[in-house]
């Protein structure tokens, strides 16, 4: 059986229904629901063209949207060039383990290189063992712990 080729490309306005479906599933995975205003704002920012606007790519296979990645550039006090924060990565459950996640991370690496922001980092939930299996193959775990301001 021949697998359908995987296409990864920047988000375009016509991707909104597929992006919304994948984004909503990603949020549900983390037991999160965001207000409609945040959903709309995130989509609008992903289509923006500012240096610090988040950027997004979608993975399509066999005519179906099967994954998304969202990332942003920011300045750092530790580097002259920008750094890239891979903020969100999601692969549809039926497609996991097929290389889509790796391809999305590698697409971010390539885009970060193209943009002159080659240092790429991300966070994940400690219990997200499936994703961590991928991350252990495509990245190096940092010894740092994350802290948040109390609500």
């Amino acid at each position: 059986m021949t697998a359908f080729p995987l296409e990864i490309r920047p988000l375009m306005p016509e991707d909104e229904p597929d992006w919304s479906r994948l984004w909503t599933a990603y949020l549900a995975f983390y037991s999160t629901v965001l207000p409609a205003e945040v959903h709309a704002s995130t989509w609008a920012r992903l289509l923006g063209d500012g240096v610090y606007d988040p950027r997004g790519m979608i993975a399509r296979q066999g005519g179906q949207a099967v994954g998304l990645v969202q990332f942003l550039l920011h300045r750092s006090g530790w580097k002259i060039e920008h750094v890239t924060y891979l903020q969100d990565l999601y692969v549809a459950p039926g497609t996991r383990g097929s290389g889509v996640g790796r391809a999305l991370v590698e697409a971010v690496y390539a885009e970060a290189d193209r943009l002159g922001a080659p240092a790429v980092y991300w966070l994940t939930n400690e219990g997200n063992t499936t994703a961590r299996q991928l991350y252990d193959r495509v990245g190096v775990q940092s010894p740092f712990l994350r802290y948040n301001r109390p609500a």
Side-chain angles (χ1 to χ4, degrees):
M1 176 181 272
T2 304
F4 291 108
L6 179 65
E7 174 195 17
I8 297 177
R9 61 164 174 74
L11 288 167
M12 297 187 293
E14 58 269 23
D15 293 322
E16 197 279 333
D18 287 330
W19 171 85
S20 183
R21 177 180 53 79
L22 292 168
W23 174 244
T24 300
Y26 171 75
L27 295 173
F29 178 82
Y30 283 110
S31 302
T32 300
V33 176
L34 295 175
E37 303 82 36
V38 173
H39 192 95
S41 174
T42 299
W43 176 248
R45 289 175 182 173
L46 285 164
L47 296 181
D49 61 3
V51 172
Y52 300 113
D53 280 332
R55 299 155 193 263
M57 290 188 265
I58 194 163
R60 301 188 69 81
Q61 195 167 41
Q64 299 294 315
V66 295
L68 64 81
V69 66
Q70 297 171 173
F71 59 99
L72 53 98
L73 305 183
H74 66 84
R75 292 182 177 171
S76 170
W78 291 43
K79 295 182 176 289
I80 293 172
E81 66 274 5
H82 290 96
V83 296
T84 302
Y85 173 49
L86 192 163
Q87 188 170 30
D88 304 305
L89 175 71
Y90 181 76
V91 175
T95 310
R96 293 181 188 150
S98 69
V100 174
R102 175 185 283 273
L104 285 164
V105 171
E106 290 174 352
V108 170
Y109 286 171
E111 187 65 3
D113 289 345
R114 187 186 75 76
L115 295 168
V120 178
Y121 72 100
W122 61 93
L123 305 170
T124 194
N125 185 288
E126 185 177 35
N128 192 353
T129 55
T130 301
R132 290 182 65 192
Q133 289 175 13
L134 167 64
Y135 300 155
D136 287 343
R137 291 191 300 270
V138 298
V140 177
Q141 186 176 354
S142 164
F144 289 91
L145 301 174
R146 176 183 165 160
Y147 289 83
N148 292 325
R149 180 180 180 178

